[in-house]
Amino acid sequence: MLTNERSYTIIYLHGFQSSSRSQKAQALQQFLERKPELAHISCFSPDLPFSPEQTLTCIKRLMAEKQRPVFMGSSMGGFYAAWASQLFNCPAVLINPVAFAESIFEGLIDQQIENIYTGEKHLFVQQDLNVLKSISAEALQYPEKIYCFLEKGDEVLDYRLAEKKYKLCKQKVISGGDHRFQNFERFLPEMLDFYQQALA
């Protein structure tokens, strides 16, 4: 792929117990491939480990490796994408994101969890929860770098938590839908426009 001053890489961060082959990651790749005019945009979706600390290390490495990286994350991936956006002052699109991960994962302490897609197993410990708490407590330094997409019909997460947490950020709150975010492909052009404007 030829690169130019507009080129950038979307790092797509999947949700909890998902994988790099998530439905939205594949839909994003297919959308870009169908449109030659978007040849300056590439995307990469890593398999994120269960360990929050290892996930942060993975994201930092990708930030250094990829060309002009921006982030897109769904559910737990949205939680991490928001963290990355603020740490690196770069654009991020959040899709039905987890707002406060510690409230979800505190019940998993001392339990072993397994990702059915990757086969990874992980014993969730207090240190994991501490890392998530530290991220949740961080204030937004660059709210203008986040665009948060929420569907009110999310059956897994209360959209109002993310709506409140990211109230200073650009938001799109849609009636209906579900946790998978049914309107993903419909709003992809708007998401890409946000990146382009934020990188200008």
Side-chain angles (χ1 to χ4, degrees):
M1 181 182 71
L2 295 176
T3 60
N4 57 45
E5 67 279 3
R6 295 191 304 149
S7 297
Y8 64 92
T9 303
I10 300 172
I11 299 175
Y12 180 86
L13 305 179
H14 63 74
F16 180 65
Q17 290 190 311
S18 185
S19 76
S20 59
R21 297 294 294 169
S22 75
Q23 185 177 12
K24 285 185 284 295
Q26 293 185 64
L28 171 62
Q29 181 67 55
Q30 293 166 4
F31 181 86
L32 296 175
E33 291 174 351
R34 289 197 303 267
K35 297 184 178 296
E37 68 272 22
L38 300 180
H40 61 287
I41 306 172
S42 58
C43 68
F44 180 77
S45 178
D47 281 319
L48 298 176
F50 276 132
S51 163
E53 199 164 11
Q54 290 178 17
T55 294
L56 303 191
T57 298
C58 172
I59 292 172
K60 290 177 181 178
R61 185 186 72 249
L62 291 171
M63 188 71 194
E65 293 175 353
K66 301 301 179 182
Q67 179 184 20
R68 292 186 81 197
V70 301
F71 290 90
M72 179 181 292
S74 174
S75 191
M76 194 61 189
F79 177 82
Y80 286 125
W83 167 82
S85 167
Q86 300 304 286
L87 180 64
F88 298 111
N89 188 17
C90 67
V93 168
L94 317 183
I95 303 164
N96 284 343
V98 169
F100 302 99
E102 67 274 19
S103 64
I104 297 174
F105 291 95
E106 59 188 359
L108 293 178
I109 296 295
D110 295 329
Q111 292 188 32
Q112 182 167 273
I113 48 181
E114 180 177 1
N115 188 314
I116 62 173
Y117 299 102
T118 66
E120 181 195 4
K121 296 179 180 179
H122 178 71
L123 180 65
F124 200 84
V125 297
Q126 184 63 46
Q127 176 59 20
D128 293 327
L129 190 64
N130 293 343
V131 172
L132 297 177
K133 285 182 176 179
S134 68
I135 295 175
S136 290
E138 293 177 356
L140 295 178
Q141 299 296 318
Y142 311 103
E144 72 281 358
K145 292 298 177 72
I146 289 177
Y147 196 170
C148 185
F149 287 78
L150 301 166
E151 286 187 335
K152 293 182 179 181
D154 189 334
E155 74 283 6
V156 176
L157 303 172
D158 184 345
Y159 80 93
R160 293 169 296 185
L161 296 176
E163 184 181 36
K164 182 177 181 180
K165 181 175 182 178
Y166 299 110
K167 63 183 179 181
L168 298 179
C169 307
K170 188 172 184 179
Q171 292 188 358
K172 179 80 69 175
V173 183
I174 307 152
S175 296
D178 55 30
H179 187 60
R180 290 181 177 273
F181 197 81
Q182 294 181 359
N183 288 278
F184 181 66
E185 293 191 53
R186 171 188 171 193
F187 285 110
L188 265 176
E190 192 168 329
M191 295 174 184
L192 299 183
D193 284 345
F194 171 73
Y195 290 134
Q196 202 66 56
Q197 293 169 16
L199 289 170

